[in-house]
Amino acid sequence: MTEEKVFEIVKESIGEILFDLDLSLVQPQHSLKELGANSIDRMEITVRAMEMLSLKIPLVEFGKVSNIQGLVDILLTQKKAAG
Amino acid sequence: MAVGIEAMNLYGGSMFVDVRSIFEGRGLDLDRFDNLMMVRKAMVLPCEDPVTNAVNAAKPILDRLSEEEKNSIELLITATESGIDFGKSLSTYVHEYLGLSRHCRLFEVKQACYGGTAAFQMAANFVASQASPGAKALVIATDVSRTTERMSYAEPSQGEGAVAMLVSDRPQLFELDFGANGLYSYEVFDTCRPRPDVELGDPDLSLLSYLECLENTYRNYTEKVEGADFLETFDYLAFHTPFAGMVKGAHRKMMRQLYKMGGREIEADFQKRVAPSLKYCEEVGNVYAATVYFALSGLIDHAPIDEEMRIGIFSYGSGCSSEFFSGVVSPEAKKALSRMRIKEQLDARYSLSFEEYDKLIDMNKEWTFGIQDKAVDLSGCQTMYDHAMAGKRRLILKQIKDFHREYVWS
């Protein structure tokens, strides 16, 4: 699993929640908030990305995430740890 | 034996302000207004505090009891995160002004918004233990939110008020499924009141922790209750409601996760099983320790109940402690609760303009923790008082004299 692949999965889950958004504009340094996601949207994007990666990470681990890169980092680390 | 809630009443403040007017007045982003799903925010006057809220919630219940029934209350637990003294619990004042028997245990519990459930479960266990057969318990969760004013997006959603519940072996309002408790707790620093004048919160972390707890308390519940199914077992659901939009998101997450349901199906289920529980919460805001029982009351008053029906309840308190439990309501419950005329009471509150609301915040701010001597001055809010309190026989704070609070009836 590469960082690019995880980023693509996160983008896909963003697309499922923020369906009006042009995904080609989404960059790792963007925060989900600035893309227009409210607190519930942000949680759902995180949960969907975890599901697509078959990961089960306690949600509170994502409490300090400030941008998409931060989300990708946690998912990638956990995916690698899971083998 | 049967155990649960015999009678319940809410106090949703003496005034309210429209949530939209707070958004407009503070220049908040109206896009987030829809996400919040809140209509009104409850407010109280400078002559109201957690003690008066508690008494004003409980008194209509007590007024309907015979002397004998009243004297059978052997336990009074207050639950609050708005304490007024480090040592003396506010239950002592509540006990005095409700005129309860001296042969009664008095104390207070605290665990953020879980406090009301902590107190309720302890009271139910006391009744079920049969340590004193026939004895009743009075549980009151009461809070104020003076510390969150002008706190950006937390401001519109934080309310004040109280819920009072008579817990006994005659649970005509809500019969607890005794022993069916899913628990989940751990240390997390999501919201707190580290000083009497400071209320802090990390809303994102709190939301994630709430959802983590909902999933895990429910899982723990299914381990204890064979065959439990989130969709089939519960006719209705009542969740702790920091804001109504949060409950909608939490329900959606559970339905997607457990049943892979699509948006339309989830919305239909939400409208049927959850939406009635939000009716009073939308009218009052987050009343901290009392909130989940505002949800339960809203459900009983608004949902069709034509036979015995099971309600799943999720209680969460930051910090954190949480529980998923259940109980049964019957058409009798609807009749019993309707006697409290909760909707009528909420509609009779004084409607504050944004300017009046803003002024009231400053008046209430003077009533900080630890005041030694101060008399309540209502000259700045006489119109509001006359409308909402005068002649209604509600308890109000008159003054604090050498730290001791003195109350009178309005």
Side-chain angles (χ1 to χ4, degrees):
Chain A
M1 183 65 61
T2 64
E3 189 170 329
E4 290 70 30
K5 179 73 184 147
V6 174
F7 178 57
E8 283 309 311
I9 285 171
V10 169
K11 263 206 324 200
E12 196 183 325
S13 62
I14 292 172
E16 283 180 28
I17 304 294
L18 308 175
F19 37 82
D20 292 338
L21 191 72
D22 180 356
L23 287 180
S24 66
L25 300 174
V26 175
Q27 299 296 322
Q29 69 273 16
H30 284 142
S31 73
L32 291 172
K33 208 181 266 187
E34 68 187 325
L35 295 177
N38 65 39
S39 54
I40 309 277
D41 296 336
R42 297 200 287 279
M43 170 278 291
E44 293 202 316
I45 289 165
T46 305
V47 169
R48 280 177 197 223
M50 273 200 283
E51 281 172 3
M52 284 190 251
L53 287 160
S54 307
L55 283 173
K56 191 94 196 82
I57 308 167
L59 279 173
V60 286
E61 305 267 325
F62 296 93
K64 293 282 169 240
V65 165
S66 60
N67 61 11
I68 292 171
Q69 186 63 52
L71 179 54
V72 169
D73 288 345
I74 293 179
L75 293 169
L76 185 63
T77 308
Q78 293 286 334
K79 190 67 191 168
K80 281 183 173 161
Chain B
M1 68 175 276
V3 58
I5 304 171
E6 178 178 331
M8 175 158 61
N9 189 39
L10 307 181
Y11 182 66
S14 55
M15 1 228 86
F16 71 84
V17 59
D18 275 322
V19 168
R20 181 178 275 275
S21 77
I22 302 177
F23 269 75
E24 288 166 354
R26 300 260 185 261
L28 299 175
D29 181 0
L30 273 166
D31 283 350
R32 294 178 67 168
F33 174 72
D34 294 334
N35 177 36
L36 214 56
M37 290 170 63
M38 300 304 283
V39 184
R40 291 166 169 177
K41 169 191 168 85
M43 287 290 287
V44 295
L45 290 168
C47 60
E48 297 183 88
D49 68 5
V51 172
T52 65
N53 287 350
V55 169
N56 292 328
K59 190 154 186 308
I61 295 176
L62 274 290
D63 286 348
R64 290 175 168 274
L65 297 183
S66 66
E67 264 320 288
E68 193 189 343
E69 286 173 313
K70 207 166 144 176
N71 288 334
S72 72
I73 297 173
E74 294 184 11
L75 172 65
L76 166 63
I77 313 178
T78 50
T80 187
E81 54 177 288
S82 322
I84 52 172
D85 187 290
F86 286 118
K88 180 178 166 68
S89 94
L90 58 89
S91 66
T92 56
Y93 288 113
V94 173
H95 175 265
E96 165 71 12
Y97 288 96
L98 288 176
L100 297 178
S101 160
R102 291 197 167 196
H103 303 297
C104 184
R105 280 193 188 99
L106 311 180
F107 64 96
E108 188 165 301
V109 300
K110 166 180 70 188
Q111 181 33 58
C113 301
Y114 175 73
T117 297
F120 170 56
Q121 293 289 355
M122 291 310 102
N125 276 283
F126 161 70
V127 172
S129 76
Q130 289 287 289
S132 180
K136 299 180 195 294
L138 183 61
V139 168
I140 308 178
T142 177
D143 271 303
V144 294
S145 72
R146 287 172 188 174
T147 49
T148 65
E149 316 300 359
R150 296 170 184 143
M151 242 181 73
S152 174
Y153 289 93
E155 183 189 345
S157 60
Q158 305 301 75
E160 24 207 0
V163 61
M165 297 181 274
L166 189 64
V167 180
S168 78
D169 55 5
R170 285 170 33 195
Q172 55 169 341
L173 216 107
F174 176 84
E175 183 180 341
L176 195 61
D177 291 330
F178 198 75
N181 313 80
L183 308 173
Y184 201 71
S185 308
Y186 52 91
E187 200 278 324
V188 61
F189 201 56
D190 54 345
T191 74
C192 57
R193 297 192 183 196
R195 282 203 321 239
D197 58 334
V198 175
E199 188 172 330
L200 292 177
D202 179 338
D204 276 16
L205 183 60
S206 198
L207 181 142
L208 294 170
S209 186
Y210 175 108
L211 295 165
E212 184 86 9
C213 285
L214 173 57
E215 182 185 335
N216 285 289
T217 52
Y218 175 67
R219 185 174 297 152
N220 189 224
Y221 180 95
T222 61
E223 285 161 9
K224 292 183 182 172
V225 182
E226 208 181 319
D229 180 278
F230 196 72
L231 186 60
E232 298 297 329
T233 305
F234 312 105
D235 299 287
Y236 296 112
L237 297 163
F239 291 178
H240 170 56
T241 307
F243 55 96
M246 168 86 215
V247 172
K248 191 167 189 177
H251 167 262
R252 191 163 60 221
K253 177 180 174 286
M254 289 297 278
M255 299 309 281
R256 269 199 72 251
Q257 196 173 323
L258 294 170
Y259 306 104
K260 308 285 171 226
M261 260 191 194
R264 200 165 298 164
E265 257 182 304
I266 292 177
E267 177 64 21
D269 186 68
F270 173 78
Q271 290 302 335
K272 184 171 159 245
R273 290 200 300 153
V274 186
S277 76
L278 303 176
K279 296 282 187 199
Y280 291 145
C281 297
E282 289 166 354
E283 289 289 317
V284 175
N286 180 11
V287 194
Y288 304 85
T291 304
V292 70
Y293 299 96
F294 274 69
L296 178 60
S297 305
L299 197 54
I300 294 172
D301 265 349
H302 294 91
I305 300 170
D306 39 27
E307 55 182 326
E308 285 205 336
M309 290 178 145
R310 177 157 279 110
I311 299 181
I313 299 182
F314 171 61
S315 181
Y316 173 81
S318 288
C320 70
S321 182
S322 66
E323 178 162 350
F324 189 99
F325 63 104
S326 62
V328 174
V329 292
S330 66
E332 184 57 33
K334 246 181 136 60
K335 237 182 277 168
L337 191 61
S338 70
R339 289 184 201 116
M340 293 297 155
R341 299 181 297 116
I342 293 170
K343 182 160 188 333
E344 218 176 301
Q345 301 291 338
L346 292 177
D347 287 345
R349 293 175 298 174
Y350 180 87
S351 171
L352 294 162
S353 68
F354 178 73
E355 290 69 31
E356 287 173 317
Y357 161 73
D358 212 34
K359 208 174 111 190
L360 190 55
I361 290 174
D362 287 331
M363 286 190 274
N364 284 340
K365 263 217 161 75
E366 292 176 21
W367 291 88
T368 51
F369 185 92
I371 289 174
Q372 186 162 355
D373 289 291
K374 189 175 168 72
V376 176
D377 174 12
L378 290 171
S379 57
C381 50
Q382 195 61 47
T383 320
M384 304 171 200
Y385 176 86
D386 289 346
H387 176 104
M389 301 302 259
K392 292 198 174 169
R393 297 292 295 159
R394 284 195 179 139
L395 193 70
I396 54 168
L397 177 67
K398 185 172 166 246
Q399 63 180 340
I400 300 176
K401 215 167 156 185
D402 214 6
F403 297 116
H404 190 226
R405 289 177 182 240
E406 295 176 9
Y407 298 90
V408 292
W409 298 98
S410 70

